[in-house]
Amino acid sequence: MEFVFGHYYFIRASWGARPETPEALAARFLKNIDLLSAIDPLLALWLSGVNGPKKLEAIRDRYAQIVAARISKDDWGEPEPIYGYSFGAITGGHPCPLSYALRIHAGGYIEGDDFQNAAEFATNSTCIPDPAAISYRIFQAALLAIVEAWQPTDCFARPTGLIDLSPDTGDHFREAWMQYLSAPLAARITPPQTAVIDRFPDGSLLMSATTDTFDIANPAHLAVARDIGAAMAPLNELPWPSGHKAD
């Protein structure tokens, strides 16, 4: 597998307007951290804080205060809760190629602004990821942990290099290594037979291009990722939740 410097692997979950208090967001975030920590020793130690990294366990009891301090602000420094809160954490105890970040923007509730909230889990973008850090086992479990904690509309995993191989159409739903769709969206598509399909009791769906680490140099991986993207084309035509085709 060929890795390119500056390319990293990431998971991104998205959802629309959902006003939430700092206390509710902190509870979701800490649940997400706990679920991630149980996946692998690489994810066992998390650092966070407004004024510099601290062990998350040391500030857990006051994490809602940290979230509250990260409220969106206007050009004059005044709070704008309608735009939500931005916060996150990074892993500790491992070198750059084996490290991750969890970044959250949530609590926004702008009327008509679709997919304004997001959770992103990613390897470190400043170094080439160690193959051990980007296994299917870790990334699938991390994706499902994010889904459980944040209840998004959709959630995908891909390497940034996959984006570079396709023209930028502005569509939300595109090629992916893994693509989760909530039940309302899953009901609108026919998953490709080439993909690995996981269906869940609530009607949601996970499509995977491969159960190996996704390799942009592997034609078989790319072919299924494109099949996944093609299967979701009808979703890009919806006025909601994507909004990209709305007039």
Side-chain angles (χ1 to χ4, degrees):
M1 179 182 298
E2 180 181 356
F3 292 104
V4 179
F5 183 79
H7 286 182
Y8 58 97
Y9 283 65
F10 70 106
I11 297 166
R12 184 176 176 84
S14 305
W15 60 98
R18 185 196 293 166
E20 295 188 84
T21 65
E23 291 75 16
L25 294 172
R28 285 187 186 272
F29 181 75
L30 293 172
K31 178 178 181 177
N32 199 167
I33 290 291
D34 290 343
L35 291 169
L36 290 172
S37 298
I39 293 170
D40 189 273
L42 290 175
L43 298 164
L45 175 62
W46 288 88
L47 308 175
S48 185
V50 174
N51 298 316
K54 302 177 179 64
K55 288 185 179 180
L56 189 57
E57 289 305 311
I59 55 176
R60 189 181 188 98
D61 291 344
R62 55 186 177 88
Y63 200 75
Q65 297 172 256
I66 292 173
V67 173
R70 303 296 296 168
I71 192 170
S72 296
K73 296 181 179 179
D74 64 18
D75 293 340
W76 295 271
E78 293 299 317
E80 290 189 307
I82 194 171
Y83 291 104
Y85 303 78
S86 297
F87 50 98
I90 58 174
T91 55
H94 298 282
C96 180
L98 292 167
S99 61
Y100 305 86
L102 179 64
R103 293 180 283 267
I104 309 296
H105 180 84
Y109 53 99
I110 308 168
E111 188 68 28
D113 187 2
D114 301 321
F115 292 132
Q116 62 189 280
N117 297 304
E120 184 173 293
F121 170 87
T123 61
N124 195 312
S125 63
T126 66
C127 57
I128 299 171
D130 188 297
I134 51 176
S135 68
Y136 175 81
R137 178 184 65 83
I138 288 178
F139 263 70
Q140 192 224 30
L143 183 150
L144 294 177
I146 290 171
V147 167
E148 182 175 345
W150 297 99
Q151 299 173 312
T153 300
D154 84 298
C155 184
F156 64 78
R158 63 167 69 109
T160 56
L162 181 58
I163 301 171
D164 298 337
L165 293 176
S166 303
D168 185 3
T169 60
D171 289 330
H172 179 84
F173 297 98
R174 301 178 61 184
E175 300 91 338
W177 174 15
M178 292 172 247
Q179 176 72 58
Y180 166 88
L181 298 174
S182 58
L185 297 185
R188 290 178 173 268
I189 72 156
T190 300
Q193 294 183 352
T194 53
V196 178
I197 306 300
D198 292 293
R199 295 186 181 274
F200 303 103
D202 66 352
S204 59
L205 169 74
L206 177 64
M207 301 177 285
S208 301
T210 176
T211 55
D212 295 327
T213 298
F214 192 94
D215 182 359
I216 61 172
N218 187 319
H221 293 184
L222 285 176
V224 184
R226 286 169 175 155
D227 288 345
I228 291 171
M232 295 188 295
L235 302 182
N236 288 318
E237 300 299 329
L238 295 174
W240 192 92
S242 72
H244 295 292
K245 302 297 183 181
D247 294 325

